[in-house]
Amino acid sequence: MADTKKNRTSGVISLRERGKIAVRGKVLAGVMTAPQMAAVSRIAEEFGNGTVGLTARLNVELPGIDRRDAGEVAERLRQAGIEPGSTGATLRSVVACKGTVCRHGCYDTQGLARAIEERYGGCDLPRKLKISVSGCPNNCAKVQLNDIGIMGRRFPLFADECDGCGACEKVCREGAVRIADDEVLFSRENCIGCGDCIAICPKGAIGVASEGLRLFLGGRSGRVLRVGTEAEGLVAEEEAVAIVGRLIDCFRENALPGERFGAMMERVGTGIIFAAAGMRPRE
C-alpha cells in the first residue's frame, strides 16, 4: 500500500533572484473556492510580489517570497485548505479536465482526481509521477503524455425505437454512425466511445452498451517524449483508485533512483508492469 507521508517543506521553488522563492499550492482537481482564491490573493500581496501564477498541473504559485517566509506562507496556505506541494520525487498533483460538469464528460473526473489525491497525494517515490484524468476522448488532459493516464469511454447501443432522425449521424465526427433508409448503420471499429450520440438522441433510443475507463501507462512529455501504452478493455470507475495504488507500489518497488515510470516499464517489461495492476497492454 502506498505511503502518504508528506514533506512539510515541499512546494518551495528556487527563483532567479537570490533569496527569493515561489511557493506552490496544490489545487485539488483544479477547482478552488472563492474564499480560497481570496486567501491566496492576500498571501501574495503580503508575502510575495502581488502576483499568482497558474501551473500546467492546475496549481497556484506565489513568486517573489523571501526564503525565510516560506514556512509562514506554507502554513497560511494550509489554513486556506491548500496544501503546499507537487514538487520533488513524489506523486505530483493529479490533473483533471472538467468532465464532471462538461456535457462531454463520461464520468466524475474531478471526484476521481480528489480520491487519488486523498489516498496517495504527495507520497514519496523514486522519481516524480504524473497522473492525468480526462472525461472523454476529446482528451483535454492529454492522458497519453502522463505516467498514468485515465480516459472515460462510453459506447452506444441502438434500440428498435430509433426513427432514423439523423441526430446521431450529425454529431459523430468519426463517421461511426450513418442513417440509410431510416435505419442506423453503426461501425464499432470507427467508434471511439465519446458517447455524444447517446446524449444527443431526442428519442432516448440510444443506450449504453459499455462504459468505463481506459488507462495509458508510461507516457511523458518534456525533454523526452513518450506516448503511453494503452491498456486493453475498460476499467470500472470504482476500481480506478485501487489500480492506481497498485501501479504506485509497482513503481516504488521496481524503479531505479531517478527513473521515470515509462523507462522502468521498458526495462522491466511492459507486460509485467501491466500484470501487476491486473491489466494487459492493448495489441
Side-chain angles (χ1 to χ4, degrees):
M1 185 173 291
D3 177 20
T4 56
K5 178 183 177 182
K6 301 283 177 56
N7 182 347
R8 301 297 287 181
T9 62
S10 63
V12 175
I13 302 165
S14 297
L15 301 178
R16 292 180 180 179
E17 185 178 355
R18 181 172 296 180
K20 295 292 185 179
I21 60 163
V23 176
R24 179 179 295 168
K26 298 172 64 175
V27 179
L28 296 184
V31 178
M32 299 176 68
T33 65
Q36 284 177 327
M37 295 179 74
V40 169
S41 178
R42 289 193 296 270
I43 297 168
E45 289 282 1
E46 184 176 348
F47 293 95
N49 61 14
T51 67
V52 179
L54 303 178
T55 76
R57 302 199 73 77
L58 308 181
N59 292 314
V60 293
E61 280 185 11
L62 286 67
I65 295 170
D66 288 339
R67 187 173 292 276
R68 62 177 177 270
D69 291 328
E72 177 65 19
V73 170
E75 186 56 36
R76 290 278 293 273
L77 285 172
R78 290 189 183 98
Q79 291 173 7
I82 299 172
E83 183 69 25
S86 198
T87 55
T90 63
L91 174 60
R92 299 292 182 90
S93 292
V94 180
V95 172
C97 76
K98 305 305 177 185
T100 299
V101 297
C102 176
R103 67 184 181 90
H104 296 291
C106 294
Y107 70 105
D108 182 8
T109 55
Q110 295 171 10
L112 177 58
R114 291 190 186 98
I116 295 172
E117 286 278 5
E118 289 169 3
R119 183 66 187 85
Y120 307 111
C123 64
D124 294 325
L125 296 169
R127 197 175 176 187
K128 62 185 176 183
L129 185 78
K130 296 182 177 181
I131 300 174
S132 77
V133 176
S134 274
C136 74
N138 286 338
N139 198 19
C140 295
K142 301 176 178 60
V143 298
Q144 292 94 335
L145 298 181
N146 283 255
D147 298 288
I148 302 173
I150 303 173
M151 178 188 292
R153 296 283 180 89
R154 181 175 291 148
F155 294 94
L157 177 65
F158 294 88
D160 294 336
E161 290 80 6
C162 174
D163 62 6
C165 73
C168 54
E169 181 179 22
K170 292 177 182 177
V171 78
C172 182
R173 304 179 192 178
E174 284 67 40
V177 184
R178 293 191 302 108
I179 304 297
D181 298 326
D182 294 330
E183 291 187 4
V184 176
L185 301 178
F186 175 61
S187 170
R188 181 66 176 80
E189 291 73 22
N190 291 339
C191 179
I192 63 171
C194 68
D196 284 350
C197 61
I198 301 171
I200 202 67
C201 179
K203 301 292 185 180
I206 307 178
V208 178
S210 62
E211 62 183 343
L213 310 180
R214 180 67 54 81
L215 270 69
F216 299 82
L217 304 184
R220 64 171 294 180
S221 57
R223 297 189 180 192
V224 177
L225 182 66
R226 188 183 192 278
V227 177
T229 303
E230 186 173 358
E232 184 180 88
L234 298 174
V235 170
E237 186 175 350
E238 57 270 21
E239 297 175 2
V241 175
I243 289 174
V244 167
R246 291 197 290 270
L247 289 168
I248 289 173
D249 288 341
C250 182
F251 183 50
R252 181 184 286 111
E253 293 164 5
N254 291 280
L256 301 175
E259 186 176 45
R260 289 291 296 270
F261 193 97
M264 174 203 70
M265 197 162 69
E266 291 177 353
R267 177 176 56 81
V268 174
T270 298
I272 293 173
I273 302 304
F274 271 81
M279 300 185 298
R280 293 190 300 179
R282 187 179 183 186
E283 296 182 355

